[in-house]
Amino acid sequence: EIYPLSLRDALPISIGCAVYTWDIRGALSSGPELHRLSFSTDLQETDVIFGGEKKLTAALRELIERHQPKAAFVYSTCIVGIIGDDLEAVCRNVEAECKIPVIPVKSEGFKGNKRAGYQAACDALFRLIGTGDVTGVSKHSLNILGDFNLAGEIWMIREYYERMGIQVVANITGDGRVGDIQRAHGAALNVVQCSGSTMQLANMMEEKYGIPSLRVSYFGIEDMAEALYDIARFFKDPEMMERTKKIVEGEVKTLAVALEPYRKALAGKKAAIYVGGSFKAFSLVKAFRLIDMQVVMVGSQTGTKEDYEELAAITDPGTIIVDDSNPLELTSFLTEKEVDIFVGGVKARPIAYKLGIGFCDHNHERKEALAGFEGMLNFAQEVYSSVMSPVWQFVPRKKSAEPTR
């Protein structure tokens, strides 16, 4: 899990064989699309024996000349870690020659799990931060961390902040730009949405530059409103708080009317949640409660003991709380609880469909915006379409179900 490739005007290149998957996310760009391209040095047997540094140097020179990026990220793979190529030296030499930042990303697969990938990404991005001019950065400013602009969500969030009177300095990294990242140290606040991927970067920035951080969620009415209020309270500006109240009141009033028909139709239906990060699970529980659905199972892959204690506190008695479950376990729980819809990542989709259960994709491959107030309406519409689809009458999944007439 390495995210610097999301910078739209940076060159991504892996030093290794040419069979790595690249950019499977639904992240959108308002400008350059360089991050969509996949470059590799395609190491062969001779390169493994004698080293791939010359090949990498030649590749970087050619690609930088051709695409004119603002920076380049060089991703190491397992084979590089084994043969011991000096990526730092190569990047340093090419950077001096081409006059752009060339940053090694130490992302060898054998180094660890998903969290190790997050750390590698944060370390690489941190080398960019602090190298730009902060002239013109407002005292009411922030960086958005951990949002990757899936289906254009970061544009919606930026609009809320701008209506509040806040300057967004950098998106890290959804629709991000190298120049913005370089001056991110001038912001007054870091707002962290996906804490698992970028909280470490926020901690590093606080330690070096003294920038405090807030952990927020943009999903669901309750959490989206609380995120805006928390930020307004941080800046201690009465006028900003008044603007924030007007934004929230207007959005909630409009959304309440739009949600009512979905709430009536879905009341009492059962939902199960299994996502990557537990913070996302908190928001989903609240969102289902808003449309009167019952969460009967919830869990995540990377939650802590404290996260699960909090999940137990906000769910109903009897709710199954799971941690890093396998498909067989999930299948058993979904069947036991007679679930109507399962929310998870793309790998969970086959489980739901094999059981004849509706599915809602809440992972990075989705194409529907689910963040913000508008995203809550999209979520309700998607859940309604899945749960109430007439196709399920042909898939009897409940032993107690009456025959279809």
Side-chain angles (χ1 to χ4, degrees):
E1 295 291 344
I2 43 179
Y3 293 140
L5 60 88
S6 293
L7 292 180
R8 304 310 191 248
D9 53 356
L11 174 77
I13 179 172
S14 64
I15 176 168
C17 57
V19 295
Y20 295 98
T21 58
W22 201 267
D23 188 42
I24 59 173
R25 300 175 184 274
L28 301 183
S29 173
S30 60
E33 294 279 354
L34 187 55
H35 70 295
R36 294 289 186 200
L37 302 179
S38 176
F39 302 107
S40 170
T41 56
D42 190 20
L43 293 181
Q44 301 298 311
E45 184 176 352
T46 303
D47 303 312
V48 173
I49 295 171
F50 296 104
E53 294 177 13
K54 291 182 179 180
K55 199 171 190 178
L56 174 62
T57 300
L60 281 168
R61 286 171 177 162
E62 178 183 345
L63 291 170
I64 291 171
E65 181 180 359
R66 178 181 299 180
H67 295 282
Q68 297 296 305
K70 301 297 183 183
F73 288 101
V74 181
Y75 298 91
S76 59
T77 58
C78 293
I79 190 62
V80 178
I82 293 172
I83 66 178
D85 280 356
D86 191 349
L87 295 193
E88 288 281 356
V90 173
C91 292
R92 185 167 56 249
N93 293 336
V94 175
E95 180 173 311
E97 178 183 333
C98 298
K99 309 303 181 185
I100 66 168
V102 181
I103 300 173
V105 184
K106 300 175 182 178
S107 50
E108 301 90 343
F110 58 72
K111 287 182 66 174
N113 56 16
K114 189 175 182 179
R115 292 181 183 275
Y118 290 149
Q119 184 63 57
C122 290
D123 290 342
L125 284 170
F126 192 63
R127 295 172 69 152
L128 268 183
I129 295 169
T131 61
D133 184 7
V134 297
T135 302
V137 175
S138 169
K139 66 176 182 179
H140 294 155
S141 59
L142 56 78
N143 298 313
I144 300 175
L145 277 67
D147 190 294
F148 306 106
N149 201 34
L150 307 178
E153 290 176 341
I154 207 166
W155 300 329
M156 299 160 53
I157 303 304
R158 284 182 67 107
E159 183 185 356
Y160 296 145
Y161 291 146
E162 288 164 3
R163 288 164 63 187
M164 291 168 63
I166 297 173
Q167 177 189 8
V168 178
V169 179
N171 306 330
I172 305 175
T173 58
D175 199 24
R177 302 290 188 275
V178 171
D180 294 336
I181 304 294
Q182 289 177 312
R183 68 188 203 127
H185 61 296
L189 176 67
N190 281 326
V191 180
V192 185
Q193 192 266 345
C194 182
S195 58
S197 62
T198 53
M199 194 68 229
Q200 183 59 30
L201 180 61
N203 293 338
M204 294 160 72
M205 292 176 71
E206 183 168 9
E207 182 178 347
K208 184 171 182 177
Y209 300 108
I211 306 172
S213 62
L214 284 177
R215 186 183 179 194
V216 302
S217 171
Y218 299 134
F219 182 72
I221 295 178
E222 186 177 337
D223 284 349
M224 184 69 249
E226 191 58 33
L228 298 184
Y229 284 135
D230 282 347
I231 292 165
R233 282 191 285 266
F234 170 83
F235 287 110
K236 300 177 181 179
D237 185 325
E239 293 183 2
M240 181 186 294
M241 180 58 77
E242 284 302 312
R243 288 192 293 268
T244 304
K245 289 179 179 179
K246 289 181 180 179
I247 293 169
V248 173
E249 288 172 3
E251 295 285 351
V252 170
K253 184 177 180 180
T254 301
L255 188 56
V257 175
L259 285 177
E260 185 60 21
Y262 302 110
R263 188 186 64 79
K264 289 182 178 179
L266 295 170
K269 299 291 185 181
K270 297 178 181 179
I273 301 165
Y274 185 68
V275 288
S278 56
F279 205 55
K280 188 186 300 182
F282 300 148
S283 296
L284 282 165
V285 170
K286 298 172 187 176
F288 275 119
R289 184 176 295 140
L290 189 66
I291 52 178
D292 284 353
M293 290 186 65
Q294 181 185 2
V295 175
V296 295
M297 187 201 85
V298 59
S300 72
Q301 293 176 297
T302 59
T304 64
K305 178 181 178 181
E306 292 73 21
D307 292 332
Y308 295 124
E309 289 174 350
E310 185 173 345
L311 279 173
I314 65 174
T315 52
D316 297 328
T319 301
I320 297 175
I321 310 293
V322 299
D323 170 56
D324 197 19
S325 289
N326 61 49
L328 287 177
E329 292 171 336
L330 293 174
T331 298
S332 174
F333 296 142
L334 294 172
T335 304
E336 175 188 338
K337 288 296 186 177
E338 298 184 334
V339 168
D340 295 293
I341 190 165
F342 183 28
V343 181
V346 66
K347 294 179 181 178
R349 189 192 303 271
I351 299 174
Y353 287 167
K354 286 179 181 178
L355 294 175
I357 294 172
F359 182 78
C360 178
D361 185 358
H362 206 284
N363 212 316
H364 296 119
E365 291 78 25
R366 58 184 166 82
K367 308 299 182 184
E368 189 75 47
L370 300 180
F373 299 105
E374 181 183 338
M376 180 62 211
L377 179 58
N378 293 338
F379 176 72
Q381 291 171 337
E382 183 170 341
V383 170
Y384 174 85
S385 297
S386 297
V387 172
M388 306 305 290
S389 172
V391 72
W392 304 126
Q393 67 180 308
F394 302 110
V395 188
R397 63 182 186 275
K398 298 179 182 179
K399 294 182 180 179
S400 59
E402 295 182 0
T404 303
R405 297 180 180 178

